[in-house]
Amino acid sequence: MGRYILRRLVVSVPVLAAITLAVYIMMNLAPGDPVMAMIDPETASALGPDWVETQREQLGLNQPMPVRYVLWLGQVARGNFGFSYNDRQPVSAKVSERFWPTLKLMGTAQAIALTIAVPLGILSAVRQYSRTDYVLTVLAFLAVSIPNFFLALGLIYIFAVTLGWTPTAGMGTIGGTGSFFNSLHHLILPASVLGLSAAAPLIRYVRSSMLETLSQDYVQVARAKGLHPTAVVIRHALRNALIPVVTIVALSLPSLIGGTVIVEAIFAWPGMGTLVITSLHAVDYPVIMAALLVIGIAIVISNLIADLLYALLDPRIRYS
């Protein structure tokens, strides 16, 4: 197992390098200039092209793109992400400050999604072609069809504006104590939006996987032995049915991160999503690269965890 993990981590290094290279090329080919983004056009014209060129030289933007990428990659290998073009703050501090709120939001949303999807998917599979199955299928398709921003605005209107049960935005009350319950109060709406969006397709995957597992011979043998139907489903069928679900959850992480960007913007959640958006507007290359690198590492790690869970769920799978 240890050799397998080490081998996967070694393979992940060139994958992450390829991701950063592709992002770096697209970012530099996109319109916009970091120096011009820091000042207004009138000030730039008043200072003259020489001043603008001097600023570009100080930031290292006058060098060819391949040279700049190699220099950036060398600094990242030493743990140095550089400084933000916009406010001259260390990039590592800005990213670490925003990473944990996003991790909290994504973790809570994924927990909500699994709590909803697994029981409802099992129920839909056990009661195949029943009224319950049809109702859950319709609700799942409706939830998949609703965009995140529309669902977020709808929940804000119902629970924050009309009922007044939850705050509309932010990670905590201004001037508050910053307690756990205060943070949880602000986390409910954004996490629910992401969790409901992620749960909708998971219900269908759990249902399909459970139906396939329930038709296997070992499940039929367990039923023939007279075991209770609940024991057959939970102890014998569910464990193997979760293997493809683990894959889907790991592969859905990029789309969940994409949804986080929209939800964080709507709820003013100070996470990686809002950091990426503000950095794109400011053409802040170091912050964008560091944020996307952290997101890429999170995706690689999640896929590694999914592979390890396969062996935990299925005794037939072993990594040597």
Side-chain angles (χ1 to χ4, degrees), residues 256-266 272-274 276-277:
L256 185 61
I257 293 175
T260 305
V261 174
I262 299 173
V263 171
E264 285 182 0
I266 293 175
M272 295 286 289
T274 52
V276 171
I277 291 177

Side-chain angles (χ1 to χ4, degrees), residues 81 95 99 272 289-299:
F81 289 95
V95 171
F99 176 74
M272 295 286 289
M289 292 298 299
L292 294 179
L293 177 61
V294 170
I295 292 174
I297 292 174
I299 293 173

Side-chain angles (χ1 to χ4, degrees), residues 7-314:
R7 187 167 61 251
R8 284 290 302 271
L9 293 176
V10 171
V11 172
S12 300
V13 173
V15 172
L16 291 174
I19 293 174
T20 58
L21 178 60
V23 172
Y24 199 88
I25 293 174
M26 290 187 293
M27 186 173 58
N28 281 271
L29 293 178
D33 184 86
V35 177
M36 299 301 294
M38 290 187 292
I39 57 177
D40 58 90
E42 295 182 359
T43 305
S45 60
L47 293 173
D50 293 338
W51 181 88
V52 175
E53 189 61 30
T54 301
Q55 296 299 314
R56 289 178 57 83
E57 185 176 352
Q58 290 179 356
L59 295 176
L61 297 174
N62 60 328
Q63 299 181 1
M65 185 174 61
V67 175
R68 283 186 281 131
Y69 173 74
V70 172
L71 292 175
W72 175 84
L73 196 62
Q75 291 297 320
V76 169
R78 297 182 179 91
N80 180 22
F81 289 95
F83 293 85
S84 169
Y85 291 163
N86 192 28
D87 55 11
R88 299 298 192 274
Q89 296 296 319
V91 174
S92 57
K94 293 172 69 72
V95 171
S96 61
E97 181 183 2
R98 299 297 190 96
F99 176 74
W100 297 112
T102 295
L103 185 63
K104 181 193 298 185
L105 178 59
M106 289 180 55
T108 307
Q110 198 65 263
I112 292 174
L114 292 174
T115 302
I116 295 174
V118 173
L120 293 184
I122 295 173
L123 180 63
S124 184
V126 172
R127 300 186 178 181
Q128 186 182 17
Y129 302 134
S130 66
R131 182 177 300 178
T132 301
D133 185 23
Y134 289 130
V135 170
L136 291 176
T137 299
V138 171
L139 292 178
F141 281 125
L142 286 176
V144 169
S145 304
I146 300 176
N148 278 344
F149 71 89
F150 186 82
L151 180 60
L153 295 176
L155 292 183
I156 288 175
Y157 178 76
I158 294 173
F159 294 101
V161 177
T162 304
L163 299 176
W165 291 352
T166 59
T168 57
M171 193 175 170
T173 304
I174 298 177
T177 58
S179 63
F180 170 77
F181 293 102
N182 183 270
S183 177
L184 182 62
H185 194 208
H186 286 75
L187 182 63
I188 291 174
L189 274 188
S192 297
V193 172
L194 288 174
L196 290 173
S197 300
L202 275 180
I203 292 175
R204 305 302 301 163
Y205 287 122
V206 173
R207 177 186 182 276
S208 176
S209 181
M210 279 296 299
L211 286 175
E212 182 179 355
T213 305
L214 289 173
S215 63
Q216 298 296 319
D217 292 340
Y218 67 91
V219 176
Q220 302 300 326
V221 171
R223 286 173 173 169
K225 289 181 178 179
L227 294 179
H228 194 275
T230 303
V232 173
V233 172
I234 301 300
R235 293 177 54 187
H236 295 272
L238 179 60
R239 187 171 180 176
N240 286 336
L242 287 179
I243 293 178
V245 176
V246 169
T247 304
I248 298 300
V249 171
L251 295 179
S252 66
L253 184 60
S255 61
L256 185 61
I257 293 175
T260 305
V261 174
I262 299 173
V263 171
E264 285 182 0
I266 293 175
F267 289 96
W269 188 266
M272 295 286 289
T274 52
L275 178 65
V276 171
I277 291 177
T278 55
S279 300
L280 286 172
H281 289 165
V283 200
D284 199 342
Y285 292 164
V287 178
I288 297 172
M289 292 298 299
L292 294 179
L293 177 61
V294 170
I295 292 174
I297 292 174
I299 293 173
V300 169
I301 292 176
S302 68
N303 281 273
L304 175 60
I305 293 175
D307 288 344
L308 298 180
L309 286 176
Y310 295 156
L312 180 64
L313 293 172
D314 192 343

